[in-house]
Amino acid sequence: MQFLRNRTVIGIICIVFSLIICFAVTPLFNRAISEKTEIARVVKEIKKDEEITADMVETVEVGAYNLPESVITDRNSVIGKFASAELQPGDYILTSKVADEPAAENSYLYNLNGEKQAISVSVKSFANGLSGKLQSGDIVSVIAPDYKKQGMTVIPPELQYVEVIAVTANSGSDANTGEQTEEGEDRELPDTVTLLATPEQSLVLAQLEAEGDIHLSLVYRGTQENAVEFVAAQEAVLAELYAPEEEMSSEEASGEEAAEEEQTEMAVEDSMEE
């Protein structure tokens, strides 16, 4: 009888638990599964470091169950930010995959304000680029062998002091050799150097790039405050080289107009005499 009584108690307990599961736990579980929430989802491929625009993301309603806590629900909160990883159409956007600014290695491209340009020149030999020792922020002089095919090696006045903003390897990755590499890892050698230049300087650099070798000599490496002084000195030279021609004074203009009128009158008199 004791055994039967125990089995009865166990049965009753099982029935009670079943009822709790059916009428309490299951509805809560179903409710959790059926809950919906809005999230931001990618609709166009977004490359790493690319700025996210309104046409790249959309707001969709999905099941809230088992969503990552870091998923972004507000579409507007990602517009204007930069992708820190490549995103494909249909991807949810996690907070770890967006950043307020682009990656440090490309940030210099987002600081251009229209007054100056970024232009790259080839490092055709190891020596031409200071043996791979150049770094972002360096001030260099651009040396042109056989300048304008005149047989002279000169530093063009437009390129006495130019700021380096990137040193790039053939793979496309930054190769500033000031960065330490892990033991046993091969260091990538620079293939191009990107300079911050005015439109006038860019034209000279493009001409030198097309004509032949370019050598870069290091002028200054140090604080940004001191580097600005070199840039200012170069800008002063450019202002003199490319100063706009002064307009003629009103007296000179009126004198030229009088001379033209006199010549016209003389031509009319000559034609009448004939």
Side-chain angles (χ1 to χ4, degrees):
M1 292 295 293
Q2 187 70 25
F3 175 74
L4 292 176
R5 190 179 301 117
N6 290 342
R7 291 184 62 183
T8 302
V9 171
I10 292 173
I12 294 172
I13 293 173
C14 290
I15 292 172
V16 171
F17 272 114
S18 299
L19 293 173
I20 293 173
I21 292 174
C22 289
F23 295 102
V25 177
T26 301
L28 290 175
F29 180 73
N30 290 337
R31 190 179 301 114
I33 293 178
S34 62
E35 284 184 356
K36 300 290 184 180
T37 187
E38 291 185 345
I39 65 167
R41 187 172 66 183
V42 179
V43 295
K44 293 172 63 175
E45 181 182 3
I46 306 175
K47 296 181 179 179
K48 184 179 179 181
D49 295 328
E50 186 175 6
E51 184 176 0
I52 301 174
T53 57
D55 62 326
M56 294 178 176
V57 292
E58 65 178 355
T59 300
V60 294
E61 189 177 66
V62 297
Y65 179 72
N66 210 29
L67 274 179
E69 293 183 1
S70 59
V71 68
I72 294 176
T73 57
D74 184 6
R75 168 179 174 270
N76 294 325
S77 66
V78 300
I79 296 175
K81 294 190 176 183
F82 298 87
S84 55
E86 187 170 330
L87 299 171
Q88 298 296 329
D91 287 350
Y92 297 167
I93 304 177
L94 306 179
T95 54
S96 60
K97 294 187 176 182
V98 294
D100 293 330
E101 296 180 356
E105 63 179 8
N106 292 321
S107 60
Y108 54 84
L109 296 178
Y110 295 89
N111 294 327
L112 301 176
N113 58 11
E115 296 179 359
K116 292 191 175 182
Q117 307 167 350
I119 181 171
S120 296
V121 294
S122 302
V123 179
K124 297 183 179 179
S125 72
F126 193 49
N128 288 25
L130 200 72
S131 302
K133 304 300 182 184
L134 290 176
Q135 298 180 17
S136 299
D138 286 348
I139 301 297
V140 298
S141 291
V142 180
I143 303 174
D146 193 17
Y147 183 58
K148 294 184 177 180
K149 305 299 181 182
Q150 297 176 355
M152 299 182 297
T153 298
V154 302
I155 298 176
E158 297 93 340
L159 305 174
Q160 293 176 357
Y161 306 123
V162 189
E163 182 180 351
V164 175
I165 55 176
V167 183
T168 309
N170 188 47
S171 63
S173 59
D174 282 359
N176 288 354
T177 52
E179 301 173 359
Q180 299 295 323
T181 56
E182 296 181 3
E183 185 177 355
E185 182 181 350
D186 293 334
R187 174 180 291 169
E188 290 189 288
L189 299 179
D191 191 67
T192 62
V193 175
T194 303
L195 304 172
L196 186 63
T198 64
E200 295 82 6
Q201 290 175 311
S202 295
L203 292 176
V204 178
L205 286 167
Q207 181 181 3
L208 295 179
E209 175 77 10
E211 289 180 351
D213 290 343
I214 295 176
H215 289 261
L216 302 176
S217 62
L218 180 63
V219 176
Y220 176 76
R221 173 180 294 168
T223 63
Q224 181 64 26
E225 291 77 9
N226 291 336
V228 168
E229 296 182 6
F230 287 92
V231 175
Q234 179 65 78
E235 290 176 348
V237 173
L238 291 171
E240 293 181 4
L241 291 174
Y242 297 94
E245 296 182 0
E246 295 182 0
E247 296 181 357
M248 291 188 299
S249 64
S250 57
E251 294 181 358
E252 292 176 344
S254 60
E256 288 192 0
E257 290 177 359
E260 290 177 358
E261 290 177 358
E262 185 178 352
Q263 291 178 357
T264 303
E265 291 176 357
M266 293 176 61
V268 171
E269 291 177 357
D270 291 342
S271 61
M272 291 177 64
E273 290 177 357
E274 292 177 356

